[in-house]
Structure formats: C-alpha cells, structure tokens
Amino acid sequence: MTHWFHRNPLKATAPVSFNYYAVVTTPAASKICNDLRSSRTRLLELFTDLTCNPEMMKNATDSYFSLLQGFINSLDNSTQESKLRYIQNFKWTDTLQGHVPSAQQDAVFELISMAFNVALWYTKYASRLAGKENITEDEAKEVHRSLKIAAGIFKHLKENHIPKLITPAEKGRDLEVRLIDSYIIQCQAEAQEVTIARAIELKHNPGLIAALAYETANFYQRADHTLSSLEPAYTIKWRKYLHLKMCFYTAYAYCYHGQTLLASDKCGEAIRSLQESEKFYSKAEALCKEYGETKGPGTTAKPSGHLFFRKLGSLVKNTLEKCQRENGFMPNPNQRKK
C-alpha cells in the first residue's frame, strides 16, 4: 500500500569556514578544523542527494558530530563545557518561517540545528520510499524504522540539548516545544499508518484495524491541536494536512468497525457506522482540495488523486452497499410465522 505524507522544507544554513588563525597553532589542530569544514559540507550535500541512504547518512552524521563535540564538551572528561563553544557564529533558517535566519554564537545551536535537519531527512526518506507503488515488506519496515529514528532525534533534542541553549528558542520557530512536539507526534502517526497498511494486507481482524485507525486519527488530532496556538500564516498548510489525515483515519476506523458489526449480524449498526465513515471521508475529500489550494511551506500535491485516498473511497462505498444488501435479507423479528 502506497502512502502520501506532507513534508516541510529543510533548514538552510550559512557556510562555516572553521578558520581560527589566532587560536589554531598546530598542524593537528588545523587538520581538525579542515575535517570539520569538509564533513559539514558533505553532510549538507547528502540532505538533497536522492541517492543517499540511511547508512550513508549515519556515517556522515557520526563524522561531523564526533568532531563538533570538541566544541561542546571539555576533552578532559570533566563536566565543564569546551572553551571553544562560543567561538563560532552559526546561522540557520526555519522550516516554516522561510529565509529569515536565526543566528547564535554557540556550538550547541549548531548541533541542534544540524540534527534537526537529519531528523527531517529521515522523514523525507521515509516519504519517498512509502510513495512507491507496490512497496515491499522490507521497504515498509524501512519506512517505519526511519520515522521512529526521526521521532527519536526530535525527542532527544527536546529533552537533552535545547534546554542547554544560552539563548532560548524563539517562539513559533523550529526549536520551540510546540513545533518539536508536532514533528514527534506526526512521525508516530505516520509510522502507525505503515502498521495499519500491513494489518490490512495480512487481513487481520477488522476490530484491530479499526482500533489502530482510531488511535492514528487521535495522533493527528493532537499534532493539529499542538500547532493551533501558532501563527496561522506559517502553519495553515501543515494543519490542513493533519486535519485531513485525522478525518481520513476516522473514516477508516468507522469503516472497519462497520465490518466488525456486520460480522456480528448487526446490520443496522453497521450501516450507521459506514454512514459515519462516508461523512468523514467526504470531509477528508474537501480538505484535500483545500490543502492543494493553500499556500505555505511544505509539499505541493493533490492528495485526492493519490492511490491511498481513492482506495479508501472504494472500500467505504462497497462495504456500505454490502451492509445494505445484507440488511435487506435480514428477517423481520416482528413478523409472525404462519
């Protein structure tokens, strides 16, 4: 089963030379600075390289971050920070607020911003892989793994690194708690989409699929609520996606709940459940159109034409028709036997 995911743009950054002529006085120190510059450049190049895979990304990330640690932590294994932490100014743009950069003279800010982009790369890699037709089981597992890695990175930054910034995160920008939380919840929801698709392919119990779909819809609703207090001009397109997916998976939940009711010969209740499914599917369809017409950061797409969307529409229609047919065959319990 193919998937469609909304993606915000990557963060952009200004070049950093790591040239410290007044400080660097030995060949070994010069080599470290040169390695820092080249490993940073290499990592930035991989973010937009469509041939990059998770192994390449991990190697490049480890290479740069292992060197950057020397600018953050003292080398004598004490709890003191490095004397080099504030030697370099770093500039990074925001995923939602366009080309206006934030700047901090702090290596921790660089670590957080670069790791944020690494997490975004994993979400984009998952999206590319999940959008393929006839995705294999191994590829589905890779999508799930990549989304879990991304969520883990965002969570680690939120809990362990962002609190260490001398200059607090600006409100409404990437490193603010509401934004980080939304990214984490979205990754969790999309990973669960992969689980649902697998459960459908393996023809698991409709009750289980309905429960997973309902939980996924709640994830999307939480992510949308987390963004609700932010500036609409920057979040409206993202929120359209989250609301769309909430309606979509609510429709899934009602559809599969209806199948469970039908299997228990509760045709009337099954029909009502499928009618609710139809209602939420229609809402999702309207939101698909709104999403495509909304300007703002993120993916340009027409989700209503995507296979994942069309398949649910057919499933709801066919299941409702089946319920109505079977309801017509049900004997009237009030009818007396002759």
Side-chain angles (χ1 to χ4, degrees), residues 210 250-260 273-274 277 312 315-316 319:
T250 303
Y252 245 126
Y254 275 116
C255 181
Y256 277 91
H257 181 57
Q259 290 185 22
T260 303
S273 189
L274 265 297
S277 182
L312 176 59
L315 179 65
V316 173
T319 308

Side-chain angles (χ1 to χ4, degrees), residues 32-84:
I32 289 172
C33 291
N34 289 335
D35 289 346
L36 262 168
R37 183 171 59 251
S38 61
S39 62
R40 187 180 197 265
T41 301
R42 173 61 177 157
L43 182 51
L44 292 172
E45 288 171 349
L46 287 180
F47 288 145
T48 54
D49 184 349
L50 295 180
T51 65
C52 180
N53 59 44
E55 184 181 0
M56 293 166 65
M57 179 54 61
K58 184 180 184 305
N59 290 339
T61 303
D62 289 348
S63 175
Y64 180 57
F65 286 167
S66 62
L67 292 167
L68 189 64
Q69 288 301 318
F71 281 66
I72 297 171
N73 300 316
S74 176
L75 298 180
D76 60 6
N77 294 322
S78 70
T79 56
Q80 298 296 313
E81 64 187 27
S82 171
K83 294 177 181 178
L84 300 173

Side-chain angles (χ1 to χ4, degrees), residues 157-209:
L157 293 178
K158 174 191 167 184
E159 294 176 354
N160 297 284
H161 295 292
I162 293 174
K164 294 177 182 176
L165 287 171
I166 301 300
T167 305
E170 300 169 67
K171 287 194 178 297
R173 296 184 75 93
D174 284 339
L175 307 188
E176 209 234 316
V177 170
R178 289 172 293 179
L179 267 296
I180 293 276
D181 281 344
S182 295
Y183 277 114
I184 293 170
I185 298 166
Q186 181 178 332
C187 287
Q188 292 170 329
E190 290 173 350
Q192 191 138 299
E193 285 193 49
V194 179
T195 303
I196 292 170
R198 186 68 182 147
I200 292 169
E201 286 173 9
L202 294 175
K203 301 190 185 325
H204 282 178
N205 186 292
L208 171 65
I209 296 169

Side-chain angles (χ1 to χ4, degrees), residues 298-313:
T299 317
T300 301
K302 293 182 178 179
S304 57
H306 199 284
L307 181 62
F308 91 99
F309 193 85
R310 299 199 312 270
K311 282 178 76 172
L312 176 59

Side-chain angles (χ1 to χ4, degrees), residues 108-311:
V108 171
F109 176 68
E110 165 72 357
L111 173 73
I112 294 166
S113 301
M114 188 68 84
F116 194 102
N117 250 16
V118 172
L120 285 178
W121 180 87
Y122 274 102
T123 69
K124 288 174 180 287
Y125 175 75
S127 182
R128 285 202 307 274
L129 204 55
K132 291 172 58 179
E133 286 194 25
N134 303 317
I135 181 171
T136 66
E137 182 182 349
D138 286 343
E139 287 170 334
K141 287 178 180 176
E142 187 73 10
V143 171
H144 194 273
R145 188 181 304 114
S146 295
L147 290 167
K148 284 183 69 177
I149 290 171
I153 293 171
F154 286 129
K155 188 171 185 289
H156 181 72
L157 293 178
K158 174 191 167 184
E159 294 176 354
N160 297 284
H161 295 292
I162 293 174
K164 294 177 182 176
L165 287 171
I166 301 300
T167 305
E170 300 169 67
K171 287 194 178 297
R173 296 184 75 93
D174 284 339
L175 307 188
E176 209 234 316
V177 170
R178 289 172 293 179
L179 267 296
I180 293 276
D181 281 344
S182 295
Y183 277 114
I184 293 170
I185 298 166
Q186 181 178 332
C187 287
Q188 292 170 329
E190 290 173 350
Q192 191 138 299
E193 285 193 49
V194 179
T195 303
I196 292 170
R198 186 68 182 147
I200 292 169
E201 286 173 9
L202 294 175
K203 301 190 185 325
H204 282 178
N205 186 292
L208 171 65
I209 296 169
L212 286 170
Y214 181 71
E215 188 179 32
T216 304
N218 283 341
F219 273 134
Y220 280 116
Q221 189 172 38
R222 276 176 53 208
D224 179 50
H225 179 72
T226 304
L227 292 175
S228 63
S229 58
L230 293 167
E231 177 57 50
Y234 300 120
T235 61
I236 186 167
K237 192 175 184 74
W238 192 3
R239 290 192 65 197
K240 289 285 184 191
Y241 165 78
L242 297 170
H243 193 193
L244 184 167
K245 283 293 185 83
M246 186 274 287
C247 291
F248 182 81
Y249 278 97
T250 303
Y252 245 126
Y254 275 116
C255 181
Y256 277 91
H257 181 57
Q259 290 185 22
T260 303
L261 292 168
L262 184 61
S264 302
D265 291 333
K266 297 177 180 177
C267 287
E269 292 178 49
I271 288 170
R272 285 193 292 274
S273 189
L274 265 297
Q275 286 169 340
E276 284 296 304
S277 182
E278 260 193 334
K279 187 167 71 177
F280 276 97
Y281 182 78
S282 295
K283 284 183 181 179
E285 200 167 28
L287 284 163
C288 280
K289 185 179 179 184
E290 290 176 26
Y291 175 87
E293 294 172 351
T294 301
K295 293 181 179 179
T299 317
T300 301
K302 293 182 178 179
S304 57
H306 199 284
L307 181 62
F308 91 99
F309 193 85
R310 299 199 312 270
K311 282 178 76 172

